[in-house]
Amino acid sequence: MTKMIIGGAQIGGIQKAETREEVVARMMALMDQAHEKGVEFLTYPEMTLTTFFPRFYVEDRAEFDHWFETEMPNHATAPLFAKAKGYGMGFSFGYCELTPEGEHFNTSIIVSPEGEIVLKYRKTHLPGHAEYEPERSHQHLEKRYFLAGDTGFNVVRNQGVIMGLAICNDRRWPESWRVMGLQGVQLVTIGYNTPSQNNLSKDEGIERRVYHHELSVCAGAYQNSTYAVAVAKCGMEDGNHMFAGSIIVDPDGFVIARATGEGDELIVAEADFDKCAFGKSTVFNFEAHRRTEHYGLIVSQTGVKEPAQ
Amino acid sequence: MTKMIIGGAQIGGIQKAETREEVVARMMALMDQAHEKGVEFLTYPEMTLTTFFPRFYVEDRAEFDHWFETEMPNHATAPLFAKAKGYGMGFSFGYCELTPEGEHFNTSIIVSPEGEIVLKYRKTHLPGHAEYEPERSHQHLEKRYFLAGDTGFNVVRNQGVIMGLAICNDRRWPESWRVMGLQGVQLVTIGYNTPSQNNLSKDEGIERRVYHHELSVCAGAYQNSTYAVAVAKCGMEDGNHMFAGSIIVDPDGFVIARATGEGDELIVAEADFDKCAFGKSTVFNFEAHRRTEHYGLIVSQTGVKEPAQ
């Protein structure tokens, strides 16, 4: 029997001028609320510490190095780590990582209740583009500022639960979920920053985009019999709107908690991780039902190859 | 510009006593309706010609060979092929196939408007079990009566559209969709026979199961930017209830047509296959975004391997 109260700490927009310390103070206020509600594991968004700067273009990428962290924990985040350790709470959050080798990643970590980083993940599926593209209603330059992640989708046992990480666009790709599912994942923790408008289609506004978000998370959870927490940084940020829609989903693919606003907001649910076992041993018993001899293209081929005319 | 009116021919329960000829007459009545509505491609369910006999156990499997077709078209289905050819209509349907070598498959085919079988698919993901299991509220013996399919998920150009086939439980597996997506699929045609009750869980009744069905089809369509038609054989059949819920889904993952009853019923929608291109060239541009170096487990590992304790 592994029951745990889990939470998602949705964060409203973070403007360019806000300091890391100001953001961490907001994160800690949500952590205090979470502790009051008995939360034992808390998920924060992607790129929690800063504005979503890939909406801005700079010719010289190094000008944006100040959005990146060169160590973790660091001066600004140490109080967050200390507070969580004091509460005996595990947590995950995303930030931009600049390595000693000068590589840039969109990164997320899981921190144990003892304050140790027990899993680091670097975003695999970078959306958007690398150069300025004037036909877009706004820029989404993740492929400019980040390298595609080199970690893959690993999992870790933390607080008695098999946990994995995904970031934003990863949630739309069933491959992300399945690789973790094959490692028995019971809780997928996801942060995202998702613009409310498709920058190449005026027709795809917030309602369609929230639907796609929820469809992807619910399908991924159901098809791998895992809990999922998907948490937004959202609302108005430097004049751009990102949708909210933070959710907690059970291993049957149903939403069991949902944010109601677009600002800093805690969502909470009780997870009974034993409930993962039913799906994993019946309809999604992978050993009994998967037929890998017919899946080869998924790994051997990256893009589309249509049949001959 | 490839627009086409597509249809799904939902079929109400087929009782044990019904003959193939009686079933084909029902199929043809729906085909007449479809023709009146301008349908150019029509999808019928899985195992259209017979009752869903895997709910029954027989010790000697050969006793059930009479549920299988040894040739296609055959005497019973020839009038259906002829009618479709007369209308210039393409169609797909499922049946149980017994090969000259004595192998049994749960099979589906696509028939061109010229009356040729242009694609044959044998069901990959057989649900259920192979032996009588008294703890189940009903039996689901697909693994007893069928071999897992040996075809894999191929596609074919038919009527100017890249089409693929999946059968029932295949729709829950993102691998089915992705292998076809990697071949540029624009229309996935799916038939199903799905009991309204999970035979190992009293808590999982019709509402949850219809949700799982729709979640899987909508996610598969969205994540591969393809139309999908998913069509039930449903209602009461030999004292067992199967859910209806036939749907047509667009490449954005939205339901655009839906059955309202549980009997023989036609659903129709106009498909604009050019709409597949937007998703395939942006958020799901596989060549730009997929990272196959991190997907290896999907093919190299069948079952779950959990991390060490």
Side-chain angles (χ1 to χ4, degrees), chain B residues 223-293:
Chain B
Q223 292 172 339
N224 295 279
S225 311
T226 180
Y227 283 91
V229 184
V231 179
K233 181 148 67 66
C234 55
M236 288 304 294
E237 193 177 78
D238 293 322
N240 288 262
H241 194 263
M242 301 187 295
F243 68 70
S246 300
I247 48 176
I248 301 177
V249 178
D250 75 13
D252 216 24
F254 286 84
V255 175
I256 55 173
R258 189 192 302 273
T260 56
E262 295 188 341
D264 293 9
E265 180 178 344
L266 180 71
I267 59 172
V268 172
E270 184 182 69
D272 176 357
F273 291 102
D274 289 344
K275 287 190 179 170
C276 299
F278 182 72
K280 287 182 195 293
S281 63
T282 60
V283 64
F284 295 114
N285 178 335
F286 293 168
E287 185 66 35
H289 302 310
R290 295 183 79 243
R291 307 295 305 184
T292 56
E293 68 271 32

Side-chain angles (χ1 to χ4, degrees), chain B residues 3-8 30-42 87-90 159 266-271:
Chain B
K3 289 189 181 178
M4 184 189 289
I5 299 177
I6 58 177
L30 286 164
M31 187 176 276
D32 289 337
Q33 286 180 37
H35 176 66
E36 282 170 27
K37 299 214 169 174
V39 169
E40 297 162 81
F41 189 86
L42 182 62
Y87 285 150
M89 191 188 296
Q159 298 169 264
L266 180 71
I267 59 172
V268 172
E270 184 182 69

Side-chain angles (χ1 to χ4, degrees), chain B residues 41-63:
Chain B
F41 189 86
L42 182 62
T43 297
Y44 292 99
E46 175 192 33
M47 225 181 280
T48 313
L49 300 175
T50 64
T51 191
F52 185 77
F53 62 83
R55 67 170 70 92
F56 303 114
Y57 176 82
V58 283
E59 182 70 25
D60 177 7
R61 299 168 199 203
E63 284 181 31

Side-chain angles (χ1 to χ4, degrees), chain B residues 139-160:
Chain B
Q139 301 297 298
H140 197 106
L141 292 154
E142 288 195 53
K143 286 192 194 289
R144 182 172 189 82
Y145 300 121
F146 302 112
L147 293 173
D150 58 359
T151 57
F153 296 95
N154 300 308
V155 302
V156 67
R157 284 187 194 270
N158 181 53
Q159 298 169 264

